[in-house]
Amino acid sequence: MPDIAAVKAALAAQRIETPSWGYGNSGTRFKVFAQPGVPRTPYEKLDDAAQVQAFTGVAPKVSLHIPWDRVDDYAGLASYAKERGLELGAINSNTFQDDTYRLGSVCHPDAAVRRRAVDHLLDCVDIMDATGSADLKLWFADGTNYPGQDDVTARQERLAECLAEVYERLGEGQRMLLEYKFFEPAFYTTDVPDWGTAYAHCLKLGPRAQVVVDTGHHAPGTNIEFIVALLLREGRLGGFDFNSRFYADDDLMAGAADPFQLFRIMHEVVRNGGLAPAANIAFMLDQCHNIEAKVPAVIRSVANVQEATAKALLVDGDALAAAQRDGDVLAANAVLMDAYDTDVRPLLRALREERGLDPDPVVAYLRSGRQERIAAERAGGDQAGWGA
């Protein structure tokens, strides 16, 4: 049976990175919904992220999104984060919110547009240098809507050329994380539609190019944990974007749609050494909280990832291996189900109390009265959102 002390130690050591944009306004493709108390600046986003860290103890890193988090002094922003017990994590690029990118960015047929996109990515590496961030995270909305619209192979060649230039610019200790999405906003072909395409480009680039698995970016029925296991085996899993989706889009809270899937993913991570510091897996959230309060929703999402991780750590590895060697299908499945069916909330409550934290971080945050205070204090000004 798993050693509970070792399970607690692994949970205490886990780090979950929260997204700056998760604290801003968001919505559907039809409407962005404003909420009282939403941050107006990247600094206020960090103030909110510091609350998530204060109540969970496992979320000290914050991903930035450029240009949504553009400031004049990025070193100063990093210092501001450090003063609040945070550090700046992945720098996310944006090559999808400019009219110039109507037909694509790094895959666009016009070399001038591709130059514009690459220059933005290089600017993001400059920001990494200033903030001390180690990860450049890339997601491209590039693709086509109609057969014959563009040359599919030529677009891959353009993509490879642009990625290579950015990869060569990376400094020591920095890496490129390439994300994929099988459709949307391109409806006929997407230029990075799956893990295989991302993996192929990363292999050509070099060892500091790795794949990001966004748990919401897959077709229904996709065995995401298989992808995770394979990428771990090959040393090419750079990180996760945790979120959920019911139909086609993503961005719901991690573990909301299919907590059993999240458990299965984390089982492969645990089994294949993905929690070890040497694996350097970035456990990031990528969510937009459209109708729920931002900070409590991020706290709940962090707790959901913790719960899935705790259950994965409780899998009896010896019993599972024995059943697998014996070809005992039912026994092997039962070992996993026993761990999944375990209520790990008492374990996590005990762990938080041992670390001087409230056992229920969501309730504790709401009880603090901060949500009401920021609603009053942040009146006026322009709230942060998808556009800024």
Side-chain angles (χ1 to χ4, degrees):
M1 293 294 294
D3 181 345
I4 296 302
V7 169
K8 284 184 175 180
L11 290 168
Q14 187 179 30
R15 295 294 177 262
I16 299 167
E17 189 168 328
T18 70
S20 68
W21 55 95
Y23 301 102
N25 283 326
S26 57
T28 68
R29 68 187 65 211
F30 306 112
K31 169 67 176 175
V32 172
F33 302 102
Q35 293 186 19
V38 164
R40 296 160 296 182
T41 68
Y43 298 93
E44 289 184 345
K45 292 179 185 178
L46 292 178
D47 291 339
D48 286 359
Q51 292 293 306
V52 177
Q53 165 62 4
F55 285 96
T56 67
V58 296
K61 298 186 76 171
V62 184
S63 301
L64 298 185
H65 198 293
I66 307 300
W68 299 346
D69 294 318
R70 190 173 293 284
V71 295
D72 293 331
D73 181 2
Y74 289 102
L77 186 66
S79 296
Y80 188 88
K82 186 175 181 180
E83 291 169 1
R84 281 146 188 79
L86 302 172
E87 60 180 297
L88 300 182
I91 302 300
N92 292 256
S93 62
N94 182 322
T95 56
F96 52 87
Q97 282 193 315
D98 190 304
D99 286 345
T100 307
Y101 301 138
R102 183 171 60 91
L103 299 179
S105 61
V106 292
C107 300
H108 198 287
D110 187 336
V113 175
R114 298 199 299 276
R115 183 70 259 160
R116 180 188 180 104
V118 170
D119 286 345
H120 168 68
L121 302 184
L122 295 175
D123 286 342
C124 287
V125 181
D126 291 340
I127 293 170
M128 293 169 66
D129 293 340
T131 60
S133 301
D135 295 336
L136 173 67
K137 188 146 75 68
L138 307 178
W139 172 73
F140 300 109
D142 292 35
T144 64
N145 281 356
Y146 297 99
Q149 177 181 324
D150 200 358
D151 187 305
V152 173
T153 303
R155 292 181 73 89
Q156 289 298 310
E157 292 170 353
R158 298 168 198 153
L159 172 62
E161 180 181 343
C162 291
L163 289 177
E165 180 177 349
V166 178
Y167 184 84
E168 288 303 313
R169 167 63 182 82
L170 294 176
E172 185 176 353
Q174 295 177 340
R175 61 179 178 168
M176 175 186 290
L177 302 181
L178 183 58
E179 188 179 349
Y180 57 91
K181 188 173 185 178
F182 79 106
F183 86 106
E184 196 208 32
F187 293 107
Y188 175 61
T189 64
T190 298
D191 291 309
V192 190
D194 51 38
W195 70 270
T197 305
Y199 177 55
H201 280 285
C202 287
L203 281 180
K204 280 194 172 183
L205 290 168
R208 290 189 292 156
Q210 296 179 306
V211 180
V212 170
V213 174
D214 185 305
T215 54
H217 287 188
H218 299 84
T222 300
N223 189 320
I224 301 174
E225 57 268 31
F226 172 83
I227 299 169
V228 169
L230 189 146
L231 291 173
L232 276 166
R233 179 178 183 272
E234 299 299 321
R236 290 288 178 159
L237 179 62
F240 288 96
D241 274 353
F242 287 122
N243 56 53
S244 295
R245 63 112 174 89
F246 284 101
Y247 296 104
D249 210 341
D250 60 315
D251 287 342
L252 296 178
M253 293 191 302
D258 190 349
F260 184 47
Q261 180 188 70
L262 184 55
F263 160 76
R264 299 193 310 267
I265 291 169
M266 291 310 302
H267 167 63
E268 295 300 333
V269 169
V270 170
R271 182 184 179 281
N272 292 286
L275 288 185
N280 198 23
I281 308 300
F283 297 97
M284 300 176 282
L285 302 179
D286 180 13
Q287 303 173 178
C288 294
H289 303 289
N290 301 340
I291 57 176
E292 63 269 28
K294 316 295 181 179
V295 176
V298 177
I299 293 174
R300 175 65 60 81
S301 299
V302 169
N304 287 351
V305 175
Q306 285 184 294
E307 288 185 20
T309 305
K311 292 183 178 189
L313 287 163
L314 289 177
V315 172
D316 189 332
D318 292 338
L320 181 61
Q324 290 172 343
R325 284 194 304 269
D326 294 341
D328 193 333
V329 177
L330 291 179
N333 178 250
V335 171
L336 283 186
M337 296 310 300
D338 284 345
Y340 177 70
D341 289 335
T342 301
D343 185 355
V344 297
R345 291 174 298 176
L347 184 153
L348 286 166
R349 284 196 292 265
L351 174 63
R352 292 177 186 129
E353 288 181 321
E354 291 168 10
R355 304 183 69 203
L357 300 170
D358 192 284
D360 190 329
V362 173
V363 170
Y365 173 77
L366 294 174
R367 192 173 56 235
S368 73
R370 181 179 182 273
Q371 197 66 32
E372 292 76 16
R373 289 196 300 275
I374 60 175
E377 293 169 358
R378 294 176 179 175
D382 295 326
Q383 291 184 328
W386 283 343

Short mmCIF file of all heavy atoms in Angstrom, two decimals, residues 57-108:
data_model
loop_
_atom_site.label_atom_id
_atom_site.label_comp_id
_atom_site.label_asym_id
_atom_site.label_seq_id
_atom_site.Cartn_x
_atom_site.Cartn_y
_atom_site.Cartn_z
N GLY A 57 -1.37 27.12 -1.06
CA GLY A 57 0.02 26.79 -0.78
C GLY A 57 0.75 26.05 -1.88
O GLY A 57 1.91 25.67 -1.70
N VAL A 58 0.11 25.85 -3.03
CA VAL A 58 0.75 25.07 -4.11
C VAL A 58 0.69 25.78 -5.46
O VAL A 58 0.93 25.16 -6.49
CB VAL A 58 0.11 23.66 -4.24
CG1 VAL A 58 0.36 22.83 -3.00
CG2 VAL A 58 -1.37 23.75 -4.57
N ALA A 59 0.36 27.08 -5.46
CA ALA A 59 0.17 27.80 -6.73
C ALA A 59 1.01 29.07 -6.79
O ALA A 59 0.47 30.17 -6.96
CB ALA A 59 -1.31 28.11 -6.94
N PRO A 60 2.35 28.96 -6.69
CA PRO A 60 3.17 30.16 -6.65
C PRO A 60 3.54 30.74 -8.01
O PRO A 60 4.17 31.80 -8.06
CB PRO A 60 4.43 29.67 -5.93
CG PRO A 60 4.55 28.24 -6.35
CD PRO A 60 3.13 27.73 -6.46
N LYS A 61 3.18 30.08 -9.10
CA LYS A 61 3.58 30.57 -10.43
C LYS A 61 2.36 31.08 -11.19
O LYS A 61 1.25 30.54 -11.06
CB LYS A 61 4.27 29.45 -11.23
CG LYS A 61 5.54 28.95 -10.60
CD LYS A 61 6.27 27.95 -11.50
CE LYS A 61 6.98 28.65 -12.63
NZ LYS A 61 7.87 27.73 -13.38
N VAL A 62 2.60 32.11 -12.00
CA VAL A 62 1.53 32.73 -12.79
C VAL A 62 1.98 32.86 -14.23
O VAL A 62 3.05 33.42 -14.51
CB VAL A 62 1.16 34.12 -12.23
CG1 VAL A 62 -0.02 34.70 -13.01
CG2 VAL A 62 0.85 34.06 -10.75
N SER A 63 1.17 32.33 -15.16
CA SER A 63 1.44 32.50 -16.59
C SER A 63 0.99 33.89 -17.03
O SER A 63 -0.06 34.38 -16.60
CB SER A 63 0.67 31.45 -17.40
OG SER A 63 1.01 30.14 -17.04
N LEU A 64 1.77 34.50 -17.90
CA LEU A 64 1.39 35.79 -18.49
C LEU A 64 0.98 35.59 -19.95
O LEU A 64 1.38 34.62 -20.59
CB LEU A 64 2.56 36.77 -18.44
CG LEU A 64 3.08 37.18 -17.06
CD1 LEU A 64 4.16 38.24 -17.21
CD2 LEU A 64 1.97 37.67 -16.15
N HIS A 65 0.20 36.52 -20.45
CA HIS A 65 -0.25 36.49 -21.84
C HIS A 65 0.07 37.84 -22.46
O HIS A 65 -0.33 38.89 -21.93
CB HIS A 65 -1.76 36.22 -21.90
CG HIS A 65 -2.24 35.75 -23.23
ND1 HIS A 65 -2.24 36.55 -24.35
CD2 HIS A 65 -2.75 34.55 -23.62
CE1 HIS A 65 -2.74 35.86 -25.37
NE2 HIS A 65 -3.05 34.65 -24.96
N ILE A 66 0.80 37.82 -23.56
CA ILE A 66 1.21 39.06 -24.22
C ILE A 66 0.44 39.20 -25.53
O ILE A 66 0.43 38.25 -26.34
CB ILE A 66 2.73 39.06 -24.50
CG1 ILE A 66 3.50 38.77 -23.22
CG2 ILE A 66 3.16 40.38 -25.12
CD1 ILE A 66 3.28 39.74 -22.08
N PRO A 67 -0.28 40.30 -25.77
CA PRO A 67 -0.15 41.61 -25.13
C PRO A 67 -1.11 41.87 -23.98
O PRO A 67 -1.15 43.01 -23.47
CB PRO A 67 -0.44 42.57 -26.28
CG PRO A 67 -1.48 41.85 -27.08
CD PRO A 67 -1.10 40.39 -27.01
N TRP A 68 -1.92 40.91 -23.56
CA TRP A 68 -2.90 41.18 -22.51
C TRP A 68 -2.24 41.66 -21.22
O TRP A 68 -2.85 42.41 -20.46
CB TRP A 68 -3.74 39.93 -22.22
CG TRP A 68 -4.53 39.43 -23.38
CD1 TRP A 68 -4.78 40.09 -24.56
CD2 TRP A 68 -5.18 38.17 -23.49
NE1 TRP A 68 -5.55 39.31 -25.39
CE2 TRP A 68 -5.81 38.12 -24.76
CE3 TRP A 68 -5.30 37.08 -22.65
CZ2 TRP A 68 -6.54 37.03 -25.19
CZ3 TRP A 68 -6.04 35.98 -23.07
CH2 TRP A 68 -6.66 35.95 -24.33
N ASP A 69 -0.99 41.21 -20.97
CA ASP A 69 -0.29 41.59 -19.74
C ASP A 69 0.90 42.50 -20.02
O ASP A 69 1.89 42.48 -19.30
CB ASP A 69 0.18 40.33 -19.00
CG ASP A 69 -0.99 39.50 -18.50
OD1 ASP A 69 -1.95 40.10 -17.99
OD2 ASP A 69 -0.95 38.26 -18.62
N ARG A 70 0.79 43.31 -21.05
CA ARG A 70 1.90 44.19 -21.41
C ARG A 70 2.08 45.30 -20.36
O ARG A 70 1.10 45.92 -19.91
CB ARG A 70 1.66 44.81 -22.79
CG ARG A 70 2.88 45.53 -23.33
CD ARG A 70 2.67 45.98 -24.77
NE ARG A 70 2.58 44.86 -25.71
CZ ARG A 70 3.61 44.15 -26.13
NH1 ARG A 70 4.83 44.41 -25.66
NH2 ARG A 70 3.45 43.17 -26.99
N VAL A 71 3.32 45.50 -19.96
CA VAL A 71 3.67 46.59 -19.04
C VAL A 71 4.95 47.24 -19.56
O VAL A 71 5.63 46.71 -20.44
CB VAL A 71 3.90 46.07 -17.60
CG1 VAL A 71 2.61 45.53 -17.01
CG2 VAL A 71 5.01 45.03 -17.55
N ASP A 72 5.30 48.37 -19.00
CA ASP A 72 6.52 49.06 -19.43
C ASP A 72 7.77 48.44 -18.82
O ASP A 72 8.85 48.51 -19.42
CB ASP A 72 6.44 50.55 -19.04
CG ASP A 72 5.36 51.30 -19.80
OD1 ASP A 72 5.07 50.89 -20.95
OD2 ASP A 72 4.82 52.27 -19.26
N ASP A 73 7.63 47.82 -17.65
CA ASP A 73 8.79 47.32 -16.91
C ASP A 73 8.53 45.88 -16.48
O ASP A 73 7.91 45.64 -15.44
CB ASP A 73 9.06 48.21 -15.70
CG ASP A 73 10.27 47.77 -14.89
OD1 ASP A 73 10.94 46.80 -15.29
OD2 ASP A 73 10.54 48.39 -13.84
N TYR A 74 9.00 44.93 -17.28
CA TYR A 74 8.74 43.52 -16.96
C TYR A 74 9.59 43.04 -15.78
O TYR A 74 9.15 42.20 -14.99
CB TYR A 74 8.98 42.65 -18.19
CG TYR A 74 7.91 42.85 -19.23
CD1 TYR A 74 8.15 43.63 -20.36
CD2 TYR A 74 6.65 42.28 -19.08
CE1 TYR A 74 7.16 43.84 -21.31
CE2 TYR A 74 5.65 42.48 -20.01
CZ TYR A 74 5.91 43.26 -21.13
OH TYR A 74 4.91 43.47 -22.04
N ALA A 75 10.79 43.55 -15.64
CA ALA A 75 11.59 43.20 -14.47
C ALA A 75 10.88 43.70 -13.21
O ALA A 75 10.87 43.02 -12.17
CB ALA A 75 12.99 43.80 -14.58
N GLY A 76 10.27 44.87 -13.30
CA GLY A 76 9.51 45.40 -12.17
C GLY A 76 8.30 44.55 -11.86
O GLY A 76 7.94 44.36 -10.69
N LEU A 77 7.65 44.04 -12.91
CA LEU A 77 6.51 43.14 -12.70
C LEU A 77 6.95 41.87 -11.99
O LEU A 77 6.25 41.37 -11.10
CB LEU A 77 5.85 42.82 -14.04
CG LEU A 77 4.55 42.02 -13.98
CD1 LEU A 77 3.44 42.84 -13.32
CD2 LEU A 77 4.11 41.58 -15.39
N ALA A 78 8.10 41.34 -12.39
CA ALA A 78 8.63 40.14 -11.74
C ALA A 78 8.94 40.42 -10.27
O ALA A 78 8.69 39.57 -9.40
CB ALA A 78 9.88 39.66 -12.46
N SER A 79 9.47 41.59 -9.98
CA SER A 79 9.75 41.97 -8.59
C SER A 79 8.45 42.10 -7.80
O SER A 79 8.38 41.70 -6.62
CB SER A 79 10.53 43.29 -8.54
OG SER A 79 11.80 43.15 -9.14
N TYR A 80 7.45 42.68 -8.42
CA TYR A 80 6.14 42.81 -7.78
C TYR A 80 5.58 41.43 -7.43
O TYR A 80 5.03 41.23 -6.33
CB TYR A 80 5.19 43.55 -8.73
CG TYR A 80 3.85 43.93 -8.13
CD1 TYR A 80 3.71 45.14 -7.46
CD2 TYR A 80 2.75 43.10 -8.26
CE1 TYR A 80 2.47 45.51 -6.92
CE2 TYR A 80 1.52 43.46 -7.72
CZ TYR A 80 1.38 44.66 -7.05
OH TYR A 80 0.17 45.02 -6.51
N ALA A 81 5.73 40.48 -8.35
CA ALA A 81 5.28 39.11 -8.09
C ALA A 81 6.05 38.51 -6.92
O ALA A 81 5.45 37.89 -6.02
CB ALA A 81 5.46 38.26 -9.35
N LYS A 82 7.35 38.68 -6.92
CA LYS A 82 8.18 38.10 -5.86
C LYS A 82 7.80 38.64 -4.50
O LYS A 82 7.76 37.90 -3.51
CB LYS A 82 9.65 38.38 -6.16
CG LYS A 82 10.62 37.69 -5.19
CD LYS A 82 12.06 37.92 -5.61
CE LYS A 82 13.01 37.19 -4.65
NZ LYS A 82 14.44 37.41 -5.05
N GLU A 83 7.48 39.93 -4.42
CA GLU A 83 7.07 40.53 -3.15
C GLU A 83 5.79 39.89 -2.62
O GLU A 83 5.52 39.95 -1.41
CB GLU A 83 6.85 42.04 -3.35
CG GLU A 83 8.13 42.82 -3.60
CD GLU A 83 7.86 44.24 -4.06
OE1 GLU A 83 6.65 44.60 -4.15
OE2 GLU A 83 8.82 44.97 -4.34
N ARG A 84 5.01 39.30 -3.51
CA ARG A 84 3.76 38.67 -3.12
C ARG A 84 3.86 37.14 -3.05
O ARG A 84 2.85 36.44 -3.04
CB ARG A 84 2.65 39.10 -4.10
CG ARG A 84 2.15 40.48 -3.76
CD ARG A 84 1.74 41.29 -4.96
NE ARG A 84 1.46 42.68 -4.52
CZ ARG A 84 2.42 43.59 -4.27
NH1 ARG A 84 3.68 43.26 -4.43
NH2 ARG A 84 2.09 44.79 -3.86
N GLY A 85 5.07 36.65 -3.02
CA GLY A 85 5.28 35.22 -2.89
C GLY A 85 5.05 34.45 -4.16
O GLY A 85 4.81 33.24 -4.14
N LEU A 86 5.15 35.13 -5.30
CA LEU A 86 4.89 34.52 -6.60
C LEU A 86 6.12 34.59 -7.48
O LEU A 86 7.07 35.32 -7.20
CB LEU A 86 3.74 35.24 -7.31
CG LEU A 86 2.39 35.32 -6.60
CD1 LEU A 86 1.46 36.24 -7.37
CD2 LEU A 86 1.76 33.93 -6.45
N GLU A 87 6.09 33.85 -8.57
CA GLU A 87 7.06 34.01 -9.65
C GLU A 87 6.32 33.91 -10.97
O GLU A 87 5.25 33.29 -11.06
CB GLU A 87 8.17 32.96 -9.57
CG GLU A 87 7.71 31.53 -9.66
CD GLU A 87 8.88 30.55 -9.58
OE1 GLU A 87 9.73 30.60 -10.48
OE2 GLU A 87 8.92 29.76 -8.64
N LEU A 88 6.87 34.56 -11.98
CA LEU A 88 6.22 34.56 -13.29
C LEU A 88 6.60 33.30 -14.05
O LEU A 88 7.77 32.94 -14.14
CB LEU A 88 6.61 35.82 -14.06
CG LEU A 88 6.22 37.13 -13.36
CD1 LEU A 88 6.59 38.32 -14.23
CD2 LEU A 88 4.73 37.15 -13.03
N GLY A 89 5.59 32.63 -14.59
CA GLY A 89 5.80 31.37 -15.28
C GLY A 89 5.83 31.55 -16.79
O GLY A 89 6.53 32.43 -17.31
N ALA A 90 5.07 30.74 -17.49
CA ALA A 90 5.11 30.73 -18.95
C ALA A 90 4.67 32.07 -19.53
O ALA A 90 3.74 32.70 -19.03
CB ALA A 90 4.23 29.61 -19.49
N ILE A 91 5.34 32.46 -20.60
CA ILE A 91 4.93 33.63 -21.38
C ILE A 91 4.17 33.11 -22.59
O ILE A 91 4.70 32.36 -23.41
CB ILE A 91 6.14 34.46 -21.84
CG1 ILE A 91 6.96 34.91 -20.63
CG2 ILE A 91 5.68 35.65 -22.66
CD1 ILE A 91 6.22 35.78 -19.63
N ASN A 92 2.89 33.47 -22.67
CA ASN A 92 2.01 33.02 -23.75
C ASN A 92 1.92 34.08 -24.83
O ASN A 92 1.67 35.26 -24.54
CB ASN A 92 0.61 32.74 -23.20
CG ASN A 92 0.57 31.54 -22.29
OD1 ASN A 92 0.11 30.47 -22.66
ND2 ASN A 92 1.05 31.71 -21.06
N SER A 93 2.14 33.67 -26.06
CA SER A 93 2.08 34.60 -27.19
C SER A 93 0.64 34.73 -27.69
O SER A 93 -0.23 33.92 -27.37
CB SER A 93 2.98 34.12 -28.31
OG SER A 93 2.53 32.85 -28.78
N ASN A 94 0.42 35.74 -28.53
CA ASN A 94 -0.90 35.96 -29.11
C ASN A 94 -0.73 36.34 -30.58
O ASN A 94 -0.33 37.45 -30.90
CB ASN A 94 -1.63 37.07 -28.35
CG ASN A 94 -3.03 37.32 -28.86
OD1 ASN A 94 -3.29 37.28 -30.06
ND2 ASN A 94 -3.95 37.60 -27.95
N THR A 95 -1.01 35.38 -31.46
CA THR A 95 -0.97 35.66 -32.89
C THR A 95 -2.35 35.38 -33.51
O THR A 95 -2.46 34.85 -34.61
CB THR A 95 0.10 34.79 -33.60
OG1 THR A 95 -0.16 33.41 -33.31
CG2 THR A 95 1.49 35.15 -33.12
N PHE A 96 -3.38 35.75 -32.76
CA PHE A 96 -4.74 35.45 -33.24
C PHE A 96 -5.72 36.60 -33.05
O PHE A 96 -6.89 36.46 -33.38
CB PHE A 96 -5.29 34.20 -32.54
CG PHE A 96 -5.23 34.22 -31.04
CD1 PHE A 96 -6.24 34.77 -30.28
CD2 PHE A 96 -4.15 33.66 -30.38
CE1 PHE A 96 -6.19 34.79 -28.90
CE2 PHE A 96 -4.08 33.65 -28.99
CZ PHE A 96 -5.11 34.23 -28.24
N GLN A 97 -5.28 37.74 -32.52
CA GLN A 97 -6.21 38.85 -32.28
C GLN A 97 -5.82 40.10 -33.04
O GLN A 97 -6.01 41.21 -32.57
CB GLN A 97 -6.30 39.15 -30.78
CG GLN A 97 -7.18 38.16 -30.04
CD GLN A 97 -7.52 38.64 -28.65
OE1 GLN A 97 -6.67 39.12 -27.92
NE2 GLN A 97 -8.78 38.52 -28.27
N ASP A 98 -5.30 39.91 -34.22
CA ASP A 98 -4.92 41.04 -35.07
C ASP A 98 -5.55 40.80 -36.44
O ASP A 98 -5.54 39.68 -36.95
CB ASP A 98 -3.38 41.11 -35.18
CG ASP A 98 -2.89 42.38 -35.86
OD1 ASP A 98 -3.34 42.65 -36.99
OD2 ASP A 98 -2.07 43.08 -35.25
N ASP A 99 -6.10 41.84 -37.03
CA ASP A 99 -6.73 41.70 -38.35
C ASP A 99 -5.77 41.13 -39.39
O ASP A 99 -6.19 40.45 -40.34
CB ASP A 99 -7.25 43.06 -38.84
CG ASP A 99 -8.51 43.51 -38.12
OD1 ASP A 99 -9.13 42.65 -37.44
OD2 ASP A 99 -8.85 44.70 -38.21
N THR A 100 -4.48 41.38 -39.20
CA THR A 100 -3.47 40.89 -40.13
C THR A 100 -3.48 39.36 -40.20
O THR A 100 -3.11 38.79 -41.23
CB THR A 100 -2.07 41.37 -39.68
OG1 THR A 100 -2.11 42.78 -39.51
CG2 THR A 100 -1.01 41.02 -40.72
N TYR A 101 -3.91 38.72 -39.13
CA TYR A 101 -3.83 37.25 -39.04
C TYR A 101 -5.10 36.55 -39.52
O TYR A 101 -5.36 35.40 -39.15
CB TYR A 101 -3.52 36.84 -37.60
CG TYR A 101 -2.21 37.41 -37.07
CD1 TYR A 101 -2.12 37.92 -35.78
CD2 TYR A 101 -1.07 37.44 -37.87
CE1 TYR A 101 -0.93 38.44 -35.30
CE2 TYR A 101 0.12 37.97 -37.40
CZ TYR A 101 0.18 38.47 -36.12
OH TYR A 101 1.36 38.98 -35.63
N ARG A 102 -5.87 37.22 -40.34
CA ARG A 102 -7.13 36.63 -40.84
C ARG A 102 -6.88 35.31 -41.55
O ARG A 102 -7.67 34.37 -41.44
CB ARG A 102 -7.82 37.62 -41.78
CG ARG A 102 -9.18 37.15 -42.31
CD ARG A 102 -9.87 38.29 -43.04
NE ARG A 102 -9.07 38.74 -44.18
CZ ARG A 102 -9.19 38.25 -45.41
NH1 ARG A 102 -10.06 37.29 -45.67
NH2 ARG A 102 -8.45 38.72 -46.39
N LEU A 103 -5.77 35.19 -42.28
CA LEU A 103 -5.45 33.96 -43.01
C LEU A 103 -4.31 33.19 -42.35
O LEU A 103 -3.73 32.28 -42.95
CB LEU A 103 -5.07 34.29 -44.46
CG LEU A 103 -6.16 34.97 -45.30
CD1 LEU A 103 -5.64 35.27 -46.70
CD2 LEU A 103 -7.41 34.10 -45.37
N GLY A 104 -4.02 33.55 -41.10
CA GLY A 104 -2.96 32.85 -40.38
C GLY A 104 -1.88 33.79 -39.93
O GLY A 104 -1.87 34.99 -40.27
N SER A 105 -0.95 33.26 -39.15
CA SER A 105 0.17 34.06 -38.64
C SER A 105 1.49 33.47 -39.14
O SER A 105 1.97 33.84 -40.20
CB SER A 105 0.12 34.12 -37.12
OG SER A 105 0.22 32.82 -36.54
N VAL A 106 2.04 32.52 -38.43
CA VAL A 106 3.31 31.91 -38.86
C VAL A 106 3.13 31.02 -40.08
O VAL A 106 4.12 30.62 -40.71
CB VAL A 106 3.96 31.11 -37.71
CG1 VAL A 106 4.42 32.04 -36.60
CG2 VAL A 106 3.01 30.05 -37.17
N CYS A 107 1.90 30.69 -40.43
CA CYS A 107 1.63 29.87 -41.62
C CYS A 107 1.03 30.69 -42.77
O CYS A 107 0.69 30.13 -43.81
CB CYS A 107 0.68 28.72 -41.28
SG CYS A 107 1.30 27.60 -40.00
N HIS A 108 0.91 31.98 -42.58
CA HIS A 108 0.29 32.85 -43.57
C HIS A 108 1.08 32.82 -44.88
O HIS A 108 2.31 32.74 -44.87
CB HIS A 108 0.28 34.28 -43.03
CG HIS A 108 -0.68 35.20 -43.72
ND1 HIS A 108 -0.46 35.69 -44.99
CD2 HIS A 108 -1.85 35.73 -43.31
CE1 HIS A 108 -1.46 36.47 -45.34
NE2 HIS A 108 -2.33 36.52 -44.34
#
